[in-house]
Amino acid sequence: VVVRPSSVGLKTLQAGEWFELSATADVVIESNKPVLVAQFMASSGLTGKSLGDPAMMLLRPVSAMGSRAQFWAPGEYTTNFVTVAAPTGSQIKLDTKVQAAGVAIPQTGWSVWRLGLSAGHHLIESSDRLGGILHGWTKDGSYGHNVGFMGQ
């Protein structure tokens, strides 16, 4: 397993082994064997803010990414976002509106977009493949799940 960019470097894992990475910036995780990657959202008690609660999302591999996804942002949350990862240089559209260039993740060829959402139906599209997480917060509550994968 290689995490880029990171001081973690190369981690050799045997079947059944795991490691935890506390990242404060975007990273790309690469592996030459199948791995399961989970992302956790911290609780409001850990962040010191009144928004959020723990949530866990299982991330899917690049090989499962599609180029568009439709999804629904719930109205019961204070804030809703979609965080999108796509190859650097991709054109991203949210609800047919072209978005500014994403923030490049150094040493990876990938970029990230964090887009605020209103409640309701949305369509995200990429000129290349994309993967993303729909997530939101309210007082002591949060949610998160995948968007932008083949089959959606």
Side-chain angles (χ1 to χ4, degrees), residues 3-84:
V3 180
R4 299 183 198 280
S6 175
S7 60
V8 172
L10 178 66
K11 282 283 209 193
T12 302
L13 301 175
Q14 301 304 319
E17 291 184 325
W18 62 276
F19 80 95
E20 183 175 332
L21 171 67
S22 181
T24 57
D26 298 306
V27 298
V28 171
I29 297 171
E30 300 171 340
S31 177
N32 62 352
K33 303 273 186 189
V35 294
L36 178 65
V37 178
Q39 178 176 340
F40 295 88
M41 294 170 63
S43 72
S44 59
L46 182 65
T47 64
K49 299 177 181 177
S50 62
L51 294 177
D53 195 32
M56 180 185 88
M57 296 143 293
L58 297 178
L59 305 182
R60 296 189 188 156
V62 171
S63 61
M65 290 181 175
S67 61
R68 62 190 311 247
Q70 295 184 60
F71 55 90
W72 183 267
E76 301 81 24
Y77 288 83
T78 306
T79 56
N80 294 294
F81 293 89
V82 63
T83 300
V84 177

Side-chain angles (χ1 to χ4, degrees), residues 76-138:
E76 301 81 24
Y77 288 83
T78 306
T79 56
N80 294 294
F81 293 89
V82 63
T83 300
V84 177
T88 299
S90 298
Q91 181 182 70
I92 298 295
K93 292 181 184 178
L94 176 62
D95 301 328
T96 71
K97 295 180 184 147
V98 175
Q99 302 299 304
V103 176
I105 305 171
Q107 306 167 14
T108 67
W110 287 85
S111 291
V112 174
W113 291 255
R114 285 183 183 76
L115 307 172
L117 300 170
S118 59
H121 177 264
H122 297 280
L123 172 66
I124 191 92
E125 300 174 280
S126 174
S127 57
D128 200 322
R129 59 199 161 182
L130 69 87
I133 301 260
L134 174 64
H135 50 105
W137 298 271
T138 194

